[in-house]
Amino acid sequence: MSQVSVTELLRAAEDGDVAAWNSLVERFTNLLWSVARGHRLGGADAADVVQTTWLRLVENLGRIQDPERLPGWLATTARHECLRTLRRSGRELPTQTDDAFDLPDTGAPLDSGLITEERDAQLWQCFEALQPRCQRLLRILLADPAPSYADVSAALDLPIGSIGPTRGRCLDRLRALARERGLSLAGLHTGNEGATS
Amino acid sequence: MSDKSEVVLDTPEDDALLARLRKVAAEADPAPPMTYELARAAFAMRTLDDDLAVLVHDSAEPGQEIVGVRGTDEVRLLSYDAPMVGLELQVVARGSRRSLTGQVIGPAADAVVVETAGGEQVVHPDETGVFFVQDLQAGRVRMRLLVSDGVTVTTPWTAL
């Protein structure tokens, strides 16, 4: 599956190519949404962050220094908008140094939407019970297409070397939550995916 | 898009759990279609030949002195800077309405185009560069300064 490179799409968009712009939107809107939701923003605020981020890119077309790093630029811009939104609403800002992995999450629960499988629904509830720091990291890693660690590092302002270990700890924490709630993850990973659209 | 060359401690079990979560996230919490529509539409907001001003000061940012509260009104000060021209903006908020007093610093501006989600309006600064915008709906705003020698300077979109 050959994809046009981000650099090519960005250059074409800079030259006024609407189709190239739409391809960028198609590819990275989910990443921006993931950054916003990882910061526990509600639907309206998250949509606003996504929209503002794309407007920032429009303003900066022709000024992006390193086109391959566009996903990182977009995600970083989105994070700044998230922090601005959190400040405006007087909510507590996330801290990078907070290593308290057992702090309960105080944000409003996300809508668990239409999850067909009960076990998936339970897994998602466990995810939402993770501490904010884990949700921020894992949620952006769940973006589709998955961002590179370099982009995640830029987006969350984390040292690149810390992403792998933190990811591992957060997933362990998720497994522990699942165990506490009697949710078996056995076979979940490989489970038959055939019924998906 | 993950960089295969990176040395990390990811186990196959972790990768599998993450893949499963990715599928669940796509079902439980996808980006709403509206976000894609707005993002596509953003391309039309491009201002090709404009100089971009930078927001250099915003009294609403943390660490800044609170400028003032007049009765139920809140006052916010913003400064934008571009190579040729500056813009000082005072925003008075009353509920969801905003009143702006602006001053263009530097060369005279023939007009200021005030753009919002709801449309745009044109105001003309006086000889000291001062202009007023009354009763604007709160939301994203950007200003395009039509400077006398044919240059247009545009501010970033700012939530007012």
Side-chain angles (χ1 to χ4, degrees):
Chain A
M1 195 173 77
S2 75
Q3 268 195 327
V4 186
S5 77
V6 174
T7 303
E8 288 171 282
L9 287 175
L10 185 62
R11 293 296 177 235
E14 284 169 356
D15 290 339
D17 186 337
V18 178
W21 174 262
N22 289 347
S23 297
L24 290 172
V25 167
E26 205 56 46
R27 210 177 280 188
F28 297 121
T29 292
N30 185 259
L31 172 68
L32 302 181
W33 179 256
S34 302
V35 172
R37 294 298 256 176
H39 281 79
R40 309 293 294 158
L41 294 187
D45 282 342
D48 203 53
V49 162
V50 174
Q51 163 76 345
T52 302
T53 304
W54 286 115
L55 285 169
R56 294 269 177 266
L57 179 59
V58 170
E59 286 163 4
N60 285 286
L61 279 178
R63 300 186 183 89
I64 302 295
Q65 304 288 346
D66 191 355
E68 296 111 85
R69 289 273 82 92
L70 179 67
W73 187 94
L74 284 168
T76 305
T77 303
R79 176 172 59 94
H80 288 150
E81 293 299 330
C82 287
L83 298 181
R84 197 165 291 169
T85 302
L86 291 169
R87 274 199 297 268
R88 270 208 303 271
S89 63
R91 282 157 69 183
E92 213 165 304
L93 293 183
T95 54
Q96 302 291 20
T97 48
D98 123 49
D99 237 319
F101 267 70
D102 290 314
L103 273 183
D105 172 35
T106 50
L110 298 173
D111 182 5
S112 48
L114 300 167
I115 300 184
T116 46
E117 279 188 58
E118 180 58 25
R119 196 162 57 160
D120 281 348
Q122 287 175 7
L123 179 59
W124 196 242
Q125 282 163 13
C126 293
F127 179 83
E128 291 181 329
L130 282 170
Q131 45 281 74
R133 175 186 149 121
C134 282
Q135 286 195 41
R136 274 199 305 281
L137 175 65
L138 291 184
R139 191 64 184 84
I140 190 173
L141 290 172
L142 297 183
D144 186 14
S148 72
Y149 278 14
D151 291 333
V152 174
S153 162
L156 297 182
D157 196 21
L158 292 172
I160 195 164
S162 77
I163 294 171
T166 309
R167 185 190 104 145
R169 281 202 299 277
C170 290
L171 288 174
D172 285 345
R173 184 79 193 108
L174 180 68
R175 288 191 185 90
L177 277 170
R179 263 197 313 277
E180 280 167 26
R181 297 170 179 215
L183 174 65
S184 164
L185 294 180
L188 185 65
H189 320 136
T190 50
N192 57 55
E193 313 276 350
T196 58
S197 57
Chain B
M1 282 194 304
S2 291
D3 192 345
K4 299 289 190 294
S5 67
E6 282 158 12
V7 182
V8 286
L9 311 163
D10 305 345
T11 66
E13 290 76 21
D14 279 359
D15 286 342
L17 179 54
L18 214 55
R20 184 66 186 195
L21 280 170
R22 183 170 298 121
K23 179 178 166 291
V24 177
E27 264 180 56
D29 190 29
M34 179 260 296
T35 57
Y36 290 89
E37 283 160 31
L38 289 173
R40 284 191 288 266
F43 196 54
M45 309 304 286
R46 214 155 56 116
T47 49
L48 276 179
D49 301 317
D50 292 4
D51 290 339
L52 193 62
V54 178
L55 178 62
V56 290
H57 174 79
D58 180 354
S59 64
E61 288 294 308
Q64 305 290 342
E65 299 265 326
I66 291 171
V67 173
V69 177
R70 290 200 310 237
T72 55
D73 299 349
E74 282 180 44
V75 183
R76 178 176 169 194
L77 299 176
L78 303 105
S79 305
Y80 298 92
D81 214 0
M84 286 182 56
V85 66
L87 172 66
E88 299 291 332
L89 201 63
Q90 174 183 290
V91 183
V92 178
R94 177 175 293 176
S96 67
R97 312 306 293 186
R98 303 287 179 265
S99 298
L100 317 184
T101 305
Q103 183 168 23
V104 181
I105 313 289
D110 295 328
V112 176
V113 184
V114 181
E115 298 183 349
T116 63
E120 61 179 49
Q121 55 176 298
V122 180
V123 293
H124 297 278
D126 66 17
E127 66 279 3
T128 61
V130 172
F131 63 92
F132 304 96
V133 184
Q134 298 298 329
D135 203 33
L136 212 58
Q137 174 65 38
R140 248 187 300 269
V141 177
R142 96 175 153 185
M143 266 153 280
R144 304 183 63 206
L145 316 179
L146 312 183
V147 182
S148 299
D149 54 2
V151 175
T152 301
V153 175
T154 303
T155 70
W157 289 94
T158 309
L160 297 184

